[in-house]
Amino acid sequence: MNYMIKKPTEIKKMRISGKIAAEVLEMIEKYVRPNISTEDINQICHDYIIHEKKAISACLGYHGFPKSICTSINDVVCHGIPNKKKILKEGDIVNIDITIIKDNYHSDTSKMFLIGETSILSKRLCTIAQESLYRSLKLVQPGIPLYKIGETIQNYVENNNFSVVKEYCGHGIGRNFHEEPHILHYKNKDNNIVLKKDMIFTIEPMINSGNPQVRCMKDGWTVKTKDRSLSAQYEHTILVTEYGCEILTWRKNEKICQKLSNKN
């Protein structure tokens, strides 16, 4: 269990990495408009990460992933590959997922972008996905059983008549992209881990407007909803603090409960 606890020197580095990841999402917002390709978005993010922030994209080359970010549009749940033929259009929703390595330490964050005027369903799905993340963040503190995170997310999502994807989960993060523990977004009491101060992990619920089942495309990466319903995801990397959590990837325009500590 102690191997999940980060040292002060590691936490300091992860604050820097997390801030960079958040800044990428803040930077790209003005470009995410109708008629831009996801490849163009990828290139803008790549150049900013490499040249402006002197950091590395953890996605690029990870198990052969070919791009620097993930762009998941409409019924794509996660791991969408940027492509010059994928052009954003009015009414789309797209998740942009950023993972940074700075000074050997990772951070991971994503958010939804609504393109032009979107449907009521799209807006509501994105709102519930974001709120499910925020509700779980407010729960985090030392002594809380890990399964409570997933229980909180699942209850909120299903009470709003959406579904939670179970095949993919949050994860510990640090020197490695994916570390222990697994952070499930649904209730599962099999895991007896209790949160401790100085743990760092991601929470990244993926929720669907239809059924929770997903399918992986032939490219080996792109995951879509099986029933072609819409999907939305928000993700933060967080540090468990003495009385709550610090959001390492917090963005300046986010308004979350004061219990959470943001040092950015």
Side-chain angles (χ1 to χ4, degrees):
M1 185 69 164
N2 288 337
Y3 66 89
M4 297 180 190
I5 307 298
K6 296 293 187 284
K7 299 172 185 174
T9 52
E10 295 180 297
I11 292 169
K12 185 177 180 180
K13 289 178 180 179
M14 293 193 70
R15 282 195 179 111
I16 295 169
S17 180
K19 189 170 189 292
I20 292 171
E23 287 170 347
V24 177
L25 285 179
E26 290 168 344
M27 176 279 301
I28 199 62
E29 185 148 14
K30 65 178 178 284
Y31 298 99
V32 185
R33 298 286 185 266
N35 302 316
I36 191 171
S37 73
T38 54
E39 172 56 36
D40 284 344
I41 293 171
N42 174 78
Q43 193 61 50
I44 294 166
C45 289
H46 175 84
D47 290 345
Y48 183 80
I49 292 165
I50 300 296
H51 301 302
E52 294 291 326
K53 294 301 173 181
K54 311 301 182 190
I56 299 168
S57 163
C59 286
L60 185 60
Y62 181 74
H63 294 306
F65 191 81
K67 300 293 178 178
S68 294
I69 65 172
C70 297
T71 50
S72 302
I73 305 171
N74 295 335
D75 65 337
V76 179
V77 177
C78 60
H79 305 156
I81 302 173
N83 186 316
K84 62 183 178 181
K85 294 181 181 178
K86 291 269 190 235
I87 310 294
L88 296 182
K89 62 184 186 299
E90 186 89 10
D92 283 343
I93 58 173
V94 58
N95 177 276
I96 297 181
D97 194 340
I98 307 292
T99 309
I100 294 295
I101 307 171
K102 179 71 172 180
D103 202 9
N104 295 317
Y105 281 84
H106 293 69
S107 61
D108 195 0
T109 187
S110 80
K111 65 164 285 191
M112 299 301 298
F113 293 85
L114 284 68
I115 311 304
E117 188 58 42
T118 58
S119 69
I120 292 171
L121 175 62
S122 295
K123 290 174 186 171
R124 186 164 173 271
L125 179 70
C126 292
T127 298
I128 298 302
Q130 186 174 44
E131 182 61 22
S132 74
L133 170 60
Y134 288 172
R135 286 179 179 233
S136 71
L137 293 176
K138 292 171 188 177
L139 180 80
V140 171
Q141 63 181 39
I144 293 293
L146 181 61
Y147 76 81
K148 283 286 185 183
I149 292 173
E151 181 179 72
T152 298
I153 290 168
Q154 183 176 25
N155 287 345
Y156 180 72
V157 169
E158 292 181 354
N159 285 342
N160 281 279
N161 299 313
F162 293 131
S163 63
V164 177
V165 173
K166 295 182 178 178
E167 285 85 349
Y168 300 91
C169 62
H171 50 88
I173 186 168
R175 286 188 69 92
N176 300 303
F177 195 158
H178 296 95
E179 299 179 354
E180 293 293 327
H182 296 303
I183 313 296
L184 304 180
H185 304 122
Y186 59 93
K187 183 177 179 179
N188 186 326
K189 290 190 177 181
D190 291 346
N191 193 329
N192 59 5
I193 290 174
V194 173
L195 298 185
K196 290 189 176 181
K197 183 176 178 291
D198 295 340
M199 282 183 170
I200 296 181
F201 52 82
T202 73
I203 305 177
E204 46 185 298
M206 304 168 204
I207 77 169
N208 299 343
S209 63
N211 295 325
Q213 288 81 16
V214 300
R215 58 204 169 104
C216 190
M217 300 295 100
K218 288 180 181 178
D219 62 27
W221 286 104
T222 306
V223 177
K224 292 189 176 185
T225 56
K226 205 164 188 180
D227 61 4
R228 295 180 169 80
S229 62
L230 295 170
S231 189
Q233 179 192 22
Y234 284 82
E235 175 182 15
H236 272 310
T237 299
I238 67 161
L239 164 70
V240 181
T241 60
E242 190 173 358
Y243 300 110
C245 74
E246 177 183 337
I247 304 170
L248 302 181
T249 49
W250 176 76
R251 298 181 303 278
K252 290 174 185 173
N253 63 353
E254 284 188 277
K255 293 179 174 61
I256 315 177
C257 175
Q258 289 302 306
K259 176 189 166 188
L260 306 174
S261 168
N262 303 304
K263 296 201 173 185
N264 295 353

